[in-house]
Amino acid sequence: MTTQTMRVIHIHSHGGPEVLKLEEKARPEPQMGEVLLRVYAAGVNPIDWRICQGLMKASMPITFPYTPGLEMAGVVEEVGPGVTAFKRGQAVIAQTSAGAYAEYITISVEALALKPQTVSFAEAATIPVGATTAWRVLFDHGGLTAGQRVLIQGAAGGVGLFAIQLAKWKGAHVIGTASTANLDFVRSLGADEVVDYTTTSVEGIAQDVDLVLDGVGGKTLSSLLAALRQGGTLISIAGPPPQEEAQARGVRAMMSRGAASVPLQVLTQLISEGHLNVTAGKAFPLSDVQQAHEYSRNGHGRGRIVLQIY
Ligand SMILES: NC(=O)c1ccc[n+]([C@@H]2O[C@H](COP(=O)([O-])OP(=O)(O)OC[C@H]3O[C@@H](n4cnc5c(N)ncnc54)[C@H](OP(=O)(O)O)[C@@H]3O)[C@@H](O)[C@H]2O)c1
């Protein structure tokens, strides 16, 4: 029997986009409890290029050759022994610890959820990381409740676009920050107020905020802390917030990491029922993965970048 091969992205050393190589290798076989997934599209997250660059060595060590990619959408090609919950031909989404930049991946059925029929494969590939991260910040760590005021910094991004919609679904008053070109998009997601960060500081515009989701970090953090009410909370996913300044202002500030409490199935149901819309960002073919990482490194754009693989 001839071994079937697949195209896959490998890095063999840490570095910038130039270390991403399109190579061929044998297609993997699904083991007990796994499926072989034909990957139609993979999300390109900012953390992907940070891992490749070697910036996450301490918390997320990797071995070479390494295939980036934490999320994908595709079709079950083959089921491994013991798998009854999924069958060949089903369209699914999945989150993984690595390996989505490839034509095929083997993955545990526990990481899978059926793809909502209302979205394309490219859109579906952007759900796992963005939606679960937004849920974790808003609800697991932020305890957001109806009627509260929430400020989403980086509202047009792959996490922000889900955060706006999940906060609205919960019944919160939502303020989103974005550049001029993305303001209408952020409004269309349901934001009650938008702030153009290229012309206006949130300080003085957004006040008495209960919860800030910070997806940008850096210099913007001071003005975000100033927008909080006394006792309010800033949760960053972009970097550690300044604790001393938070204490001095009488607010809490924390970094959010780890798994979310929400199963993917809950999120896909919200999407199927029309509570959440999914917007994919710029799409690149697998062969243009270097350009996709270049684009991601800019830190601007609308929605999650995707690799359109099939
Ligand atoms: N801890 C975790 O679990 C976790 C999970 C996912 C992501 N993250 C991190 O969170 C950050 C955001 O992730 P993402 O996936 O949403 O990124 P993304 O898809 O690249 O989006 C970033 C967004 O930030 C906006 N932006 C850039 N500068 C801004 C500023 N000064 N003020 C307001 N908005 C600004 C950009 O919009 P414009 O085009 O309008 O500038 C863009 O839409 C990244 O650093 C990522 O690594 C962490």
Side-chain angles (χ1 to χ4, degrees):
M1 194 178 98
T2 50
T3 311
Q4 290 180 299
T5 59
M6 65 174 188
R7 294 186 310 148
V8 58
I9 301 302
H10 279 152
I11 67 166
H12 297 275
S13 61
H14 288 301
E18 72 286 353
V19 299
L20 294 154
K21 305 288 181 209
L22 181 61
E23 297 182 346
E24 290 229 341
K25 74 172 205 183
R27 201 192 281 185
E29 301 252 333
Q31 304 300 308
M32 178 70 78
E34 291 182 340
V35 302
L36 176 70
L37 193 66
R38 173 153 205 164
V39 183
Y40 281 40
V44 175
N45 281 273
I47 198 166
D48 298 352
W49 65 259
R50 293 198 182 105
I51 293 172
C52 293
Q53 188 84 49
L55 303 176
M56 309 299 295
K57 273 184 203 164
S59 54
M60 300 176 79
I62 60 172
T63 53
F64 301 115
Y66 172 79
T67 298
L70 307 179
E71 59 180 347
M72 75 217 84
V75 170
V76 176
E77 178 87 5
E78 222 179 285
V79 299
V83 172
T84 53
F86 289 90
K87 56 179 194 281
R88 182 180 155 83
Q90 282 181 315
V92 296
I93 63 170
Q95 190 159 4
T96 178
S97 55
Y101 294 11
E103 286 182 313
Y104 291 89
I105 185 172
T106 50
I107 190 156
S108 164
V109 288
E110 275 151 32
L112 302 180
L114 289 176
K115 179 181 90 59
Q117 288 180 350
T118 48
V119 300
S120 68
F121 282 96
E123 289 163 344
T126 73
I127 297 168
V129 175
T132 58
T133 304
W135 184 286
R136 189 185 72 219
V137 173
L138 295 177
F139 307 138
D140 295 346
H141 295 161
L144 186 70
T145 55
Q148 287 193 316
R149 289 166 63 79
V150 60
L151 170 60
I152 315 287
Q153 169 90 323
V159 176
L161 70 89
F162 285 109
I164 297 231
Q165 298 180 84
L166 284 169
K168 284 308 294 176
W169 167 73
K170 184 58 94 174
H173 179 90
V174 181
I175 307 158
T177 69
S179 63
T180 318
N182 285 328
L183 294 179
D184 282 345
F185 172 63
V186 172
R187 274 192 206 98
S188 77
L189 298 170
D192 299 288
E193 297 175 56
V194 293
V195 179
D196 182 345
Y197 75 82
T198 65
T199 60
T200 317
S201 166
V202 288
E203 205 168 341
I205 303 260
Q207 284 168 337
D208 293 326
V209 168
D210 297 282
L211 177 65
V212 171
L213 186 167
D214 167 47
V216 177
K219 288 186 293 196
T220 62
L221 282 162
S222 276
S223 58
L224 297 180
L225 290 171
L228 285 168
R229 66 161 168 80
Q230 285 290 299
T233 305
L234 177 144
I235 303 180
S236 183
I237 53 172
Q243 291 301 333
E244 274 180 24
E245 186 178 348
Q247 267 173 18
R249 289 184 182 274
V251 300
R252 290 196 316 140
M254 62 180 280
M255 177 93 190
S256 171
R257 290 196 180 92
S261 68
V262 65
L264 274 183
Q265 288 78 0
V266 169
L267 296 162
T268 52
Q269 188 164 348
L270 286 174
I271 291 163
S272 296
E273 290 170 355
H275 296 293
L276 298 180
N277 287 320
V278 186
T279 306
K282 204 166 159 60
F284 296 82
L286 192 60
S287 53
D288 286 353
V289 64
Q290 294 187 356
Q291 288 89 323
H293 272 217
E294 284 287 3
Y295 193 75
S296 176
R297 290 162 81 97
N298 289 332
H300 297 287
R302 184 180 304 180
R304 169 81 52 241
I305 300 163
V306 289
L307 289 175
Q308 186 78 57
I309 298 172
Y310 184 66

